[in-house]
Amino acid sequence: MPLEWSKGTMKGKALLPPMESHCTAICNQRQTLYIIPGIVNPPAEALENDEEFDEDARFVYSYSLTDRTMTAVSTPDFHRSGQCCGVDEKHAVLVAFGGMNEDYDIVNSTHTLKLPSESTSSLEWEDARFSAGDCVQPPGLYASGSVAVNTPQGFAMFVFGGKTNDDTETNELWQLAAVSDAPTPTYAFHKFEDAQRCPKARYFSALAAHSVPGGTILFLYGGVHEPSSNDGKEVGPVCLDDLHMFDTRTNEWTELQQTGTVPPPKNGHCLHCLHRHNSTDDEVKLVLIGGGDRGAVPEVAYANSEHLFIGVVSKGECQWSMVESTGEVVPYRRWNGSMAVCHGEGAWRLFFVAGQVRWPAPSDDVLCATLPIKGTE
């Protein structure tokens, strides 16, 4: 059965500019997406009307999943691309880490933004507060795979790989977690040391998470790897199609065998784990969409991105199937877009935000679809 996409209605005064290398976080409690722009182009309306557009005016935007209202909710003083973000739902805080600033420096700073309430509209970013004695920090990272989770134990954001300031790639796995409540939440980084069978270094990968009792299961798919040459010959970037699973309870990586209609090599794609009530380690569903398959060069990155893939993970294996997309606009051939997933009305709803359609022309829309997989409340 094809997956039918529609273009989300945009209400409100805020106009989402064309963008890529941005990040999107969902707050399930508020049924709202929060979009932190990355690389921003002038809106088409501004170009057609010969209007001036300040590329540095990168507000954080909120998009209501209930009334489809787009609102600018922060001052435009946070200029990053390729960062990681997530919503700490317990404290109503948007958390952002890393990325590349306007000077093309890759940074390792962490910022927080208190989510707006009825009494506040435009808010300002603040430096995140860290617990006393927390001296372990990741390097500056760009284009990492990342995912955030909210469990009864609190908020955690996981970050894998990425590019560093010396233009090298890494395969380190970090966790940023809320560790204190009063009076303002404080956070701490943790590096997963000596993990067994760690995947090769990469950037533009995708990370998904599945919460289980006592920990979190992570899934890593694809990305760009730059192999080293032992004979002096030039070796170009390689786009990957491997799938790995990490269990925070055992500190162990496992490469999963893939069967069925396996997705092609991907980079700049989106991967999500579908959380179902009472789901177990034995069967987990993944959804993968977008990205490119020809290295890290945007001009040639978009082939084989026409379909959405659904994977069922069980007993060390992932069985993939392909779902065709239809509708007025579909999010295929989109590189470095972002996606959020929520559950409602007996099914999963997908929201795909912007991304590169063709070089250099990112889109400025939010696309919506309902997955033909029914869950339970």
Side-chain angles (χ1 to χ4, degrees), residues 9 17 41 44-45 58 69 94 112 132 144 187 202 205 225 261 266 302 324 332-333 364 366-367 371 373:
T9 304
N41 282 13
E45 289 84 349
R58 300 187 179 110
T69 301
L94 181 62
T112 59
S144 303
Y187 298 87
R202 65 192 68 198
S205 62
H225 172 63
T261 307
K266 291 276 189 178
Y302 307 108
E324 295 184 0
Y332 60 66
R333 295 184 179 272
D364 59 356
V366 177
L367 305 182
L371 264 179
I373 301 176

PDB file of all heavy atoms in Angstrom, residues 9 17 41 44-45 58 69 94 112 132 144 187 202 205 225 261 266 302 324 332-333 364 366-367 371 373:
ATOM      1  N   THR A   9      -0.234  22.386   6.061  1.00  0.00           N
ATOM      2  CA  THR A   9      -0.736  23.753   5.991  1.00  0.00           C
ATOM      3  C   THR A   9       0.084  24.649   6.901  1.00  0.00           C
ATOM      4  O   THR A   9       0.390  24.295   8.031  1.00  0.00           O
ATOM      5  CB  THR A   9      -2.212  23.803   6.414  1.00  0.00           C
ATOM      6  OG1 THR A   9      -2.953  22.902   5.601  1.00  0.00           O
ATOM      7  CG2 THR A   9      -2.783  25.206   6.255  1.00  0.00           C
ATOM      8  N   PRO A  17      11.967  29.559   6.216  1.00  0.00           N
ATOM      9  CA  PRO A  17      12.833  29.754   5.051  1.00  0.00           C
ATOM     10  C   PRO A  17      13.338  28.423   4.510  1.00  0.00           C
ATOM     11  O   PRO A  17      13.365  27.425   5.235  1.00  0.00           O
ATOM     12  CB  PRO A  17      13.994  30.585   5.625  1.00  0.00           C
ATOM     13  CG  PRO A  17      14.056  30.189   7.066  1.00  0.00           C
ATOM     14  CD  PRO A  17      12.634  29.913   7.477  1.00  0.00           C
ATOM     15  N   ASN A  41      18.442  29.620   3.012  1.00  0.00           N
ATOM     16  CA  ASN A  41      18.347  30.407   1.788  1.00  0.00           C
ATOM     17  C   ASN A  41      17.174  31.372   1.896  1.00  0.00           C
ATOM     18  O   ASN A  41      16.231  31.117   2.648  1.00  0.00           O
ATOM     19  CB  ASN A  41      18.141  29.503   0.568  1.00  0.00           C
ATOM     20  CG  ASN A  41      19.416  28.831   0.123  1.00  0.00           C
ATOM     21  OD1 ASN A  41      20.411  28.836   0.844  1.00  0.00           O
ATOM     22  ND2 ASN A  41      19.387  28.250  -1.051  1.00  0.00           N
ATOM     23  N   ALA A  44      11.362  31.877  -1.358  1.00  0.00           N
ATOM     24  CA  ALA A  44      11.035  32.168  -2.751  1.00  0.00           C
ATOM     25  C   ALA A  44      10.241  33.470  -2.879  1.00  0.00           C
ATOM     26  O   ALA A  44      10.439  34.246  -3.813  1.00  0.00           O
ATOM     27  CB  ALA A  44      10.239  31.002  -3.342  1.00  0.00           C
ATOM     28  N   GLU A  45       9.354  33.733  -1.909  1.00  0.00           N
ATOM     29  CA  GLU A  45       8.550  34.945  -1.961  1.00  0.00           C
ATOM     30  C   GLU A  45       9.422  36.189  -1.888  1.00  0.00           C
ATOM     31  O   GLU A  45       9.161  37.202  -2.539  1.00  0.00           O
ATOM     32  CB  GLU A  45       7.528  34.961  -0.810  1.00  0.00           C
ATOM     33  CG  GLU A  45       6.404  33.952  -0.961  1.00  0.00           C
ATOM     34  CD  GLU A  45       6.800  32.570  -0.447  1.00  0.00           C
ATOM     35  OE1 GLU A  45       7.994  32.356  -0.181  1.00  0.00           O
ATOM     36  OE2 GLU A  45       5.905  31.715  -0.317  1.00  0.00           O
ATOM     37  N   ARG A  58      18.087  33.552  11.855  1.00  0.00           N
ATOM     38  CA  ARG A  58      17.697  32.149  11.983  1.00  0.00           C
ATOM     39  C   ARG A  58      16.971  31.944  13.315  1.00  0.00           C
ATOM     40  O   ARG A  58      17.569  31.595  14.313  1.00  0.00           O
ATOM     41  CB  ARG A  58      18.934  31.251  11.891  1.00  0.00           C
ATOM     42  CG  ARG A  58      19.679  31.389  10.565  1.00  0.00           C
ATOM     43  CD  ARG A  58      20.785  30.348  10.482  1.00  0.00           C
ATOM     44  NE  ARG A  58      21.484  30.443   9.209  1.00  0.00           N
ATOM     45  CZ  ARG A  58      22.723  30.887   9.076  1.00  0.00           C
ATOM     46  NH1 ARG A  58      23.396  31.272  10.128  1.00  0.00           N
ATOM     47  NH2 ARG A  58      23.293  30.939   7.894  1.00  0.00           N
ATOM     48  N   THR A  69       0.114  25.628  13.033  1.00  0.00           N
ATOM     49  CA  THR A  69       0.595  26.999  13.127  1.00  0.00           C
ATOM     50  C   THR A  69       2.116  27.024  13.233  1.00  0.00           C
ATOM     51  O   THR A  69       2.697  26.320  14.054  1.00  0.00           O
ATOM     52  CB  THR A  69      -0.015  27.719  14.340  1.00  0.00           C
ATOM     53  OG1 THR A  69      -1.439  27.716  14.212  1.00  0.00           O
ATOM     54  CG2 THR A  69       0.484  29.142  14.443  1.00  0.00           C
ATOM     55  N   LEU A  94      14.568  23.050  25.170  1.00  0.00           N
ATOM     56  CA  LEU A  94      15.176  22.599  23.929  1.00  0.00           C
ATOM     57  C   LEU A  94      16.692  22.631  24.111  1.00  0.00           C
ATOM     58  O   LEU A  94      17.252  23.647  24.532  1.00  0.00           O
ATOM     59  CB  LEU A  94      14.759  23.512  22.779  1.00  0.00           C
ATOM     60  CG  LEU A  94      15.280  23.174  21.381  1.00  0.00           C
ATOM     61  CD1 LEU A  94      14.789  21.804  20.923  1.00  0.00           C
ATOM     62  CD2 LEU A  94      14.842  24.256  20.390  1.00  0.00           C
ATOM     63  N   THR A 112      20.738  25.835  25.757  1.00  0.00           N
ATOM     64  CA  THR A 112      19.356  25.466  26.087  1.00  0.00           C
ATOM     65  C   THR A 112      18.435  26.646  25.811  1.00  0.00           C
ATOM     66  O   THR A 112      18.826  27.812  25.886  1.00  0.00           O
ATOM     67  CB  THR A 112      19.213  25.056  27.562  1.00  0.00           C
ATOM     68  OG1 THR A 112      19.624  26.148  28.407  1.00  0.00           O
ATOM     69  CG2 THR A 112      20.060  23.832  27.871  1.00  0.00           C
ATOM     70  N   ALA A 132      28.533  19.877  38.743  1.00  0.00           N
ATOM     71  CA  ALA A 132      29.847  20.162  39.306  1.00  0.00           C
ATOM     72  C   ALA A 132      30.770  18.968  39.108  1.00  0.00           C
ATOM     73  O   ALA A 132      30.398  17.816  39.331  1.00  0.00           O
ATOM     74  CB  ALA A 132      29.707  20.481  40.793  1.00  0.00           C
ATOM     75  N   SER A 144      26.892  14.868  12.944  1.00  0.00           N
ATOM     76  CA  SER A 144      26.838  13.621  13.709  1.00  0.00           C
ATOM     77  C   SER A 144      25.459  12.982  13.567  1.00  0.00           C
ATOM     78  O   SER A 144      24.470  13.659  13.268  1.00  0.00           O
ATOM     79  CB  SER A 144      27.113  13.888  15.194  1.00  0.00           C
ATOM     80  OG  SER A 144      28.355  14.516  15.392  1.00  0.00           O
ATOM     81  N   TYR A 187      23.189  19.301  33.317  1.00  0.00           N
ATOM     82  CA  TYR A 187      23.427  18.200  32.398  1.00  0.00           C
ATOM     83  C   TYR A 187      24.847  17.671  32.578  1.00  0.00           C
ATOM     84  O   TYR A 187      25.713  18.313  33.176  1.00  0.00           O
ATOM     85  CB  TYR A 187      23.195  18.652  30.954  1.00  0.00           C
ATOM     86  CG  TYR A 187      21.776  19.083  30.701  1.00  0.00           C
ATOM     87  CD1 TYR A 187      21.378  20.406  30.949  1.00  0.00           C
ATOM     88  CD2 TYR A 187      20.819  18.189  30.253  1.00  0.00           C
ATOM     89  CE1 TYR A 187      20.067  20.811  30.735  1.00  0.00           C
ATOM     90  CE2 TYR A 187      19.506  18.589  30.030  1.00  0.00           C
ATOM     91  CZ  TYR A 187      19.141  19.894  30.281  1.00  0.00           C
ATOM     92  OH  TYR A 187      17.843  20.285  30.075  1.00  0.00           O
ATOM     93  N   ARG A 202      32.425   7.889  10.815  1.00  0.00           N
ATOM     94  CA  ARG A 202      31.542   8.356   9.751  1.00  0.00           C
ATOM     95  C   ARG A 202      30.908   9.688  10.132  1.00  0.00           C
ATOM     96  O   ARG A 202      30.918  10.098  11.297  1.00  0.00           O
ATOM     97  CB  ARG A 202      30.456   7.326   9.463  1.00  0.00           C
ATOM     98  CG  ARG A 202      29.495   7.124  10.649  1.00  0.00           C
ATOM     99  CD  ARG A 202      28.618   5.903  10.459  1.00  0.00           C
ATOM    100  NE  ARG A 202      29.398   4.661  10.534  1.00  0.00           N
ATOM    101  CZ  ARG A 202      28.973   3.499  10.070  1.00  0.00           C
ATOM    102  NH1 ARG A 202      27.787   3.410   9.501  1.00  0.00           N
ATOM    103  NH2 ARG A 202      29.718   2.420  10.173  1.00  0.00           N
ATOM    104  N   SER A 205      25.511  10.328   9.213  1.00  0.00           N
ATOM    105  CA  SER A 205      24.813   9.075   9.496  1.00  0.00           C
ATOM    106  C   SER A 205      23.476   9.396  10.160  1.00  0.00           C
ATOM    107  O   SER A 205      23.136  10.562  10.382  1.00  0.00           O
ATOM    108  CB  SER A 205      25.659   8.181  10.405  1.00  0.00           C
ATOM    109  OG  SER A 205      25.882   8.831  11.653  1.00  0.00           O
ATOM    110  N   HIS A 225      31.967   7.547   5.059  1.00  0.00           N
ATOM    111  CA  HIS A 225      33.248   7.150   5.643  1.00  0.00           C
ATOM    112  C   HIS A 225      34.359   7.487   4.664  1.00  0.00           C
ATOM    113  O   HIS A 225      34.209   7.304   3.455  1.00  0.00           O
ATOM    114  CB  HIS A 225      33.253   5.642   5.942  1.00  0.00           C
ATOM    115  CG  HIS A 225      34.572   5.108   6.374  1.00  0.00           C
ATOM    116  ND1 HIS A 225      35.197   5.522   7.535  1.00  0.00           N
ATOM    117  CD2 HIS A 225      35.413   4.195   5.795  1.00  0.00           C
ATOM    118  CE1 HIS A 225      36.347   4.880   7.663  1.00  0.00           C
ATOM    119  NE2 HIS A 225      36.501   4.084   6.623  1.00  0.00           N
ATOM    120  N   THR A 261      14.233  -6.222   1.153  1.00  0.00           N
ATOM    121  CA  THR A 261      14.575  -5.111   0.258  1.00  0.00           C
ATOM    122  C   THR A 261      15.431  -4.127   1.030  1.00  0.00           C
ATOM    123  O   THR A 261      14.936  -3.170   1.638  1.00  0.00           O
ATOM    124  CB  THR A 261      13.301  -4.427  -0.273  1.00  0.00           C
ATOM    125  OG1 THR A 261      12.429  -5.401  -0.845  1.00  0.00           O
ATOM    126  CG2 THR A 261      13.649  -3.392  -1.324  1.00  0.00           C
ATOM    127  N   LYS A 266      23.437   5.174   2.221  1.00  0.00           N
ATOM    128  CA  LYS A 266      22.755   6.437   2.501  1.00  0.00           C
ATOM    129  C   LYS A 266      23.667   7.396   3.260  1.00  0.00           C
ATOM    130  O   LYS A 266      24.488   6.994   4.080  1.00  0.00           O
ATOM    131  CB  LYS A 266      21.521   6.178   3.370  1.00  0.00           C
ATOM    132  CG  LYS A 266      20.391   5.428   2.682  1.00  0.00           C
ATOM    133  CD  LYS A 266      19.515   6.366   1.885  1.00  0.00           C
ATOM    134  CE  LYS A 266      18.268   5.673   1.372  1.00  0.00           C
ATOM    135  NZ  LYS A 266      17.398   6.601   0.627  1.00  0.00           N
ATOM    136  N   TYR A 302      21.648  12.356  -4.595  1.00  0.00           N
ATOM    137  CA  TYR A 302      20.241  12.093  -4.374  1.00  0.00           C
ATOM    138  C   TYR A 302      19.675  10.820  -4.979  1.00  0.00           C
ATOM    139  O   TYR A 302      18.496  10.539  -4.829  1.00  0.00           O
ATOM    140  CB  TYR A 302      19.420  13.274  -4.904  1.00  0.00           C
ATOM    141  CG  TYR A 302      19.887  14.589  -4.350  1.00  0.00           C
ATOM    142  CD1 TYR A 302      20.569  15.491  -5.148  1.00  0.00           C
ATOM    143  CD2 TYR A 302      19.670  14.906  -3.024  1.00  0.00           C
ATOM    144  CE1 TYR A 302      21.013  16.698  -4.634  1.00  0.00           C
ATOM    145  CE2 TYR A 302      20.112  16.098  -2.503  1.00  0.00           C
ATOM    146  CZ  TYR A 302      20.786  16.996  -3.310  1.00  0.00           C
ATOM    147  OH  TYR A 302      21.228  18.172  -2.805  1.00  0.00           O
ATOM    148  N   GLU A 324       6.267   2.490  -1.321  1.00  0.00           N
ATOM    149  CA  GLU A 324       6.235   3.556  -2.313  1.00  0.00           C
ATOM    150  C   GLU A 324       5.495   4.773  -1.763  1.00  0.00           C
ATOM    151  O   GLU A 324       4.607   4.649  -0.923  1.00  0.00           O
ATOM    152  CB  GLU A 324       5.571   3.075  -3.591  1.00  0.00           C
ATOM    153  CG  GLU A 324       6.344   1.980  -4.314  1.00  0.00           C
ATOM    154  CD  GLU A 324       5.700   1.602  -5.632  1.00  0.00           C
ATOM    155  OE1 GLU A 324       4.652   2.205  -5.964  1.00  0.00           O
ATOM    156  OE2 GLU A 324       6.239   0.719  -6.307  1.00  0.00           O
ATOM    157  N   TYR A 332      11.120  12.396  -1.297  1.00  0.00           N
ATOM    158  CA  TYR A 332      12.267  11.657  -1.799  1.00  0.00           C
ATOM    159  C   TYR A 332      13.256  12.627  -2.450  1.00  0.00           C
ATOM    160  O   TYR A 332      12.942  13.778  -2.737  1.00  0.00           O
ATOM    161  CB  TYR A 332      11.850  10.563  -2.766  1.00  0.00           C
ATOM    162  CG  TYR A 332      11.114  10.999  -4.011  1.00  0.00           C
ATOM    163  CD1 TYR A 332      11.735  11.764  -4.984  1.00  0.00           C
ATOM    164  CD2 TYR A 332       9.802  10.609  -4.215  1.00  0.00           C
ATOM    165  CE1 TYR A 332      11.063  12.143  -6.134  1.00  0.00           C
ATOM    166  CE2 TYR A 332       9.116  10.982  -5.356  1.00  0.00           C
ATOM    167  CZ  TYR A 332       9.753  11.754  -6.319  1.00  0.00           C
ATOM    168  OH  TYR A 332       9.091  12.123  -7.440  1.00  0.00           O
ATOM    169  N   ARG A 333      14.444  12.123  -2.695  1.00  0.00           N
ATOM    170  CA  ARG A 333      15.519  12.952  -3.236  1.00  0.00           C
ATOM    171  C   ARG A 333      15.747  14.197  -2.390  1.00  0.00           C
ATOM    172  O   ARG A 333      16.034  15.282  -2.902  1.00  0.00           O
ATOM    173  CB  ARG A 333      15.238  13.330  -4.692  1.00  0.00           C
ATOM    174  CG  ARG A 333      15.235  12.127  -5.636  1.00  0.00           C
ATOM    175  CD  ARG A 333      15.047  12.540  -7.070  1.00  0.00           C
ATOM    176  NE  ARG A 333      15.068  11.372  -7.964  1.00  0.00           N
ATOM    177  CZ  ARG A 333      16.158  10.868  -8.504  1.00  0.00           C
ATOM    178  NH1 ARG A 333      17.338  11.420  -8.241  1.00  0.00           N
ATOM    179  NH2 ARG A 333      16.085   9.833  -9.306  1.00  0.00           N
ATOM    180  N   ASP A 364      11.258  24.473   1.735  1.00  0.00           N
ATOM    181  CA  ASP A 364      10.794  25.248   2.888  1.00  0.00           C
ATOM    182  C   ASP A 364       9.462  24.715   3.406  1.00  0.00           C
ATOM    183  O   ASP A 364       8.651  25.471   3.922  1.00  0.00           O
ATOM    184  CB  ASP A 364      10.644  26.721   2.509  1.00  0.00           C
ATOM    185  CG  ASP A 364       9.651  26.938   1.365  1.00  0.00           C
ATOM    186  OD1 ASP A 364       9.139  25.928   0.826  1.00  0.00           O
ATOM    187  OD2 ASP A 364       9.381  28.100   1.019  1.00  0.00           O
ATOM    188  N   VAL A 366       6.821  21.482   5.226  1.00  0.00           N
ATOM    189  CA  VAL A 366       6.648  20.369   6.150  1.00  0.00           C
ATOM    190  C   VAL A 366       5.694  19.381   5.481  1.00  0.00           C
ATOM    191  O   VAL A 366       4.560  19.739   5.154  1.00  0.00           O
ATOM    192  CB  VAL A 366       6.072  20.826   7.499  1.00  0.00           C
ATOM    193  CG1 VAL A 366       5.849  19.618   8.411  1.00  0.00           C
ATOM    194  CG2 VAL A 366       6.989  21.834   8.175  1.00  0.00           C
ATOM    195  N   LEU A 367       6.175  18.159   5.230  1.00  0.00           N
ATOM    196  CA  LEU A 367       5.358  17.142   4.573  1.00  0.00           C
ATOM    197  C   LEU A 367       4.840  16.148   5.601  1.00  0.00           C
ATOM    198  O   LEU A 367       5.551  15.790   6.541  1.00  0.00           O
ATOM    199  CB  LEU A 367       6.178  16.423   3.507  1.00  0.00           C
ATOM    200  CG  LEU A 367       6.831  17.313   2.451  1.00  0.00           C
ATOM    201  CD1 LEU A 367       7.569  16.470   1.417  1.00  0.00           C
ATOM    202  CD2 LEU A 367       5.812  18.217   1.779  1.00  0.00           C
ATOM    203  N   LEU A 371       1.663   6.428   8.512  1.00  0.00           N
ATOM    204  CA  LEU A 371       2.237   5.124   8.224  1.00  0.00           C
ATOM    205  C   LEU A 371       1.191   4.019   8.306  1.00  0.00           C
ATOM    206  O   LEU A 371       0.376   3.992   9.222  1.00  0.00           O
ATOM    207  CB  LEU A 371       3.354   4.792   9.211  1.00  0.00           C
ATOM    208  CG  LEU A 371       4.786   5.085   8.797  1.00  0.00           C
ATOM    209  CD1 LEU A 371       5.724   4.714   9.925  1.00  0.00           C
ATOM    210  CD2 LEU A 371       5.161   4.342   7.542  1.00  0.00           C
ATOM    211  N   ILE A 373       1.172   1.322   9.616  1.00  0.00           N
ATOM    212  CA  ILE A 373       1.516   0.400  10.711  1.00  0.00           C
ATOM    213  C   ILE A 373       0.763   0.888  11.921  1.00  0.00           C
ATOM    214  O   ILE A 373       0.984   2.012  12.370  1.00  0.00           O
ATOM    215  CB  ILE A 373       3.025   0.418  11.035  1.00  0.00           C
ATOM    216  CG1 ILE A 373       3.838   0.017   9.811  1.00  0.00           C
ATOM    217  CG2 ILE A 373       3.335  -0.512  12.206  1.00  0.00           C
ATOM    218  CD1 ILE A 373       5.327   0.099  10.044  1.00  0.00           C
TER     219      ILE A 373
END
